[in-house]
Amino acid sequence: MFQTIEWTDEGVVMLDQRRLPEQETYLTLTSADGVAAAIRDMVIRGAPAIGVAAAMGIAVAFQRYEDVPVAERPARFDRDASLLAATRPTAVNLFWAIDRMRRCFQSHRLDPFPGLAAALKQEALAIHEEDIDANRAMGAHGSALLPQSCRVLTHCNAGALATAGYGTALGVVRAAVEAGKKVAVYAGETRPFLQGARLTAWELHKDGIPVTVLTDGMAGHLFQKKEIDLCLVGADRIARNGDTANKIGTYQVAVLARAHEVPFYVAAPTSTIDLQTATGGDIPIEERGPAEVAHIGGRRVVPEGVRVIHPAFDVTPNRLIAAIITERGVARPPFEVSLPGLCGQAAGTTGRVARPA
Ligand code: MRU
């Protein structure tokens, strides 16, 4: 089994997802700048995984600050935290994880250096561990929603590659398969970065779970032919009312699901729920460079001079979502009521996030 991200004595080791499926290569990073570049350049991606990466980036950089005068440590911490917070704007897990690291720093800032550095490392490792535990719990809750035999359409990659391990939407699939259910996955290719074709197909195929790749435009045809029993996707940020930002193209899958009376489920940890954001309209949507859209496999496919757009996420309105599967249970509409109810058990941590300046 591969490791998406791991803490080692040499530094933070990440599977380079840009190279999959052709090459399984790992990068070792020892600075906040290096980890920030890796998040921005999509070496590591997926909402929970970039949260873990940011936490480890802060911690790994701090291990090397022993010679920094005590009075300068807070400024050094802030610089690294701000750098990591500025990498990608949509997935709230990034800010949630940085906020946890900030609170850890505050609690231990007066400790001698070894204690402070160890506390930051421990907090980053806890975020990593807790994410895997959350995915397992989400799998247990979510697999109960899947029929004994079913065909599931997913979009993007919400698997082990997008998390510390096991996955959110794909964790639910894995749990259902482990429970003896017969699950076949349809993976939308997810233009332009091809998370579905390259990553979801790679990890499910490795696990021996049947997976079929379609181009994004083929989904309607599959629904019409009654080949989809349910949809299961991850999330980058869920607003207080249940509106859900996920990879661009998710909204059209949800519209098709509603038109064909197929349930559309979101699986995400409570760290993805942002109670401070009232509706989907308030979620910042990342705009990436046009080159990722204008080129396929390094070759330009759009005529020079033609305008290209690249919103990296879209928002699925709450009315199209049948349920949101979390590690604490399954939230049903009205989400304005069920989501704060679930997060209320979080000892007041969920929803308090450090925003980029
Ligand atoms: O741009 P990406 O690859 O980071 O986008 C990832 C997604 O949209 C995932 O579906 C989402 O983060 C859920 S991951 C468990």
Side-chain angles (χ1 to χ4, degrees):
M1 194 56 183
F2 59 90
Q3 285 286 337
T4 301
I5 179 165
E6 199 180 5
W7 181 281
T8 70
D9 290 343
E10 285 71 46
V12 179
V13 177
M14 293 178 193
L15 175 54
D16 187 346
Q17 300 192 26
R18 300 168 305 180
R19 310 264 170 262
L20 290 173
E22 296 94 345
Q23 294 169 31
E24 194 175 325
T25 51
Y26 291 81
L27 302 183
T28 303
L29 305 165
T30 56
S31 69
D33 301 68
V35 173
I39 294 173
R40 217 176 9 250
D41 297 345
M42 311 277 279
V43 170
I44 188 162
R45 31 63 51 198
I50 65 175
V52 172
M56 287 192 177
I58 287 171
V60 81
F62 212 87
Q63 307 302 309
R64 285 152 182 80
Y65 292 166
E66 184 150 20
D67 296 336
V68 173
V70 176
E72 287 175 28
R73 282 182 196 153
R76 197 63 79 91
F77 180 96
D78 282 345
R79 177 209 168 265
D80 290 347
S82 304
L83 188 75
L84 286 153
T87 50
R88 300 193 71 192
T90 303
V92 78
N93 309 60
L94 181 75
F95 310 109
W96 170 88
I98 292 171
D99 192 46
R100 265 184 72 161
M101 295 304 286
R102 197 180 290 284
R103 277 181 279 131
C104 176
F105 180 80
Q106 284 304 331
S107 313
H108 293 273
R109 70 186 189 287
L110 301 177
D111 294 0
F113 180 80
L116 172 56
L120 290 171
K121 174 185 164 185
Q122 267 324 110
E123 188 69 356
L125 291 178
I127 290 172
H128 183 269
E129 287 284 299
E130 288 168 27
D131 187 57
I132 298 174
D133 292 347
N135 292 337
R136 292 263 174 197
M138 214 178 295
H141 293 301
S143 66
L145 299 173
L146 270 54
Q148 190 57 37
S149 171
C150 59
R151 296 150 307 171
V152 175
L153 175 61
T154 191
H155 191 67
C156 193
N157 171 264
L161 288 166
T163 62
Y166 202 64
T168 58
L170 298 190
V172 171
V173 168
R174 287 192 166 98
V177 170
E178 285 162 17
K181 295 186 177 180
K182 196 167 164 266
V183 185
V185 176
Y186 279 106
E189 68 169 348
T190 319
R191 268 276 281 155
F193 198 69
L194 304 179
Q195 288 93 333
R198 296 189 305 107
L199 309 180
T200 293
W202 183 75
E203 65 167 86
L204 289 181
H205 189 62
K206 241 176 163 15
D207 268 9
I209 297 174
V211 56
T212 304
V213 173
L214 53 137
T215 69
D216 300 332
M218 294 173 185
H221 177 70
L222 280 186
F223 278 104
Q224 252 177 354
K225 290 184 68 191
K226 300 204 181 307
E227 289 198 29
I228 308 294
D229 300 307
L230 60 103
C231 302
L232 194 48
V233 300
D236 289 85
R237 191 184 298 224
I238 301 173
R240 190 180 181 91
N241 71 346
D243 291 350
T244 293
N246 192 49
K247 179 52 52 194
I248 193 77
T250 303
Y251 171 49
Q252 65 204 35
V253 170
V255 170
L256 280 167
R258 174 55 55 90
H260 292 273
E261 297 177 351
V262 164
F264 180 92
Y265 298 118
V266 172
T270 48
S271 55
T272 305
I273 299 169
D274 180 5
L275 296 179
Q276 286 185 336
T277 294
T279 72
D282 304 313
I283 298 175
I285 299 294
E286 178 181 7
E287 282 285 336
R288 292 187 68 84
E292 286 176 10
V293 174
H295 295 78
I296 297 179
R299 182 172 161 259
R300 191 172 176 94
V301 292
V302 179
E304 291 284 357
V306 171
R307 181 172 170 259
V308 170
I309 57 166
H310 190 185
F313 299 93
D314 59 26
V315 174
T316 299
N318 57 10
R319 67 189 155 78
L320 299 178
I321 301 171
I324 298 175
I325 303 156
T326 78
E327 77 278 20
R328 296 198 189 129
V330 177
R332 296 275 185 184
F335 295 115
E336 292 86 341
V337 176
S338 56
L339 291 180
L342 272 181
C343 295
Q345 299 155 25
T349 53
T350 300
R352 287 202 286 121
V353 294
R355 314 280 165 175

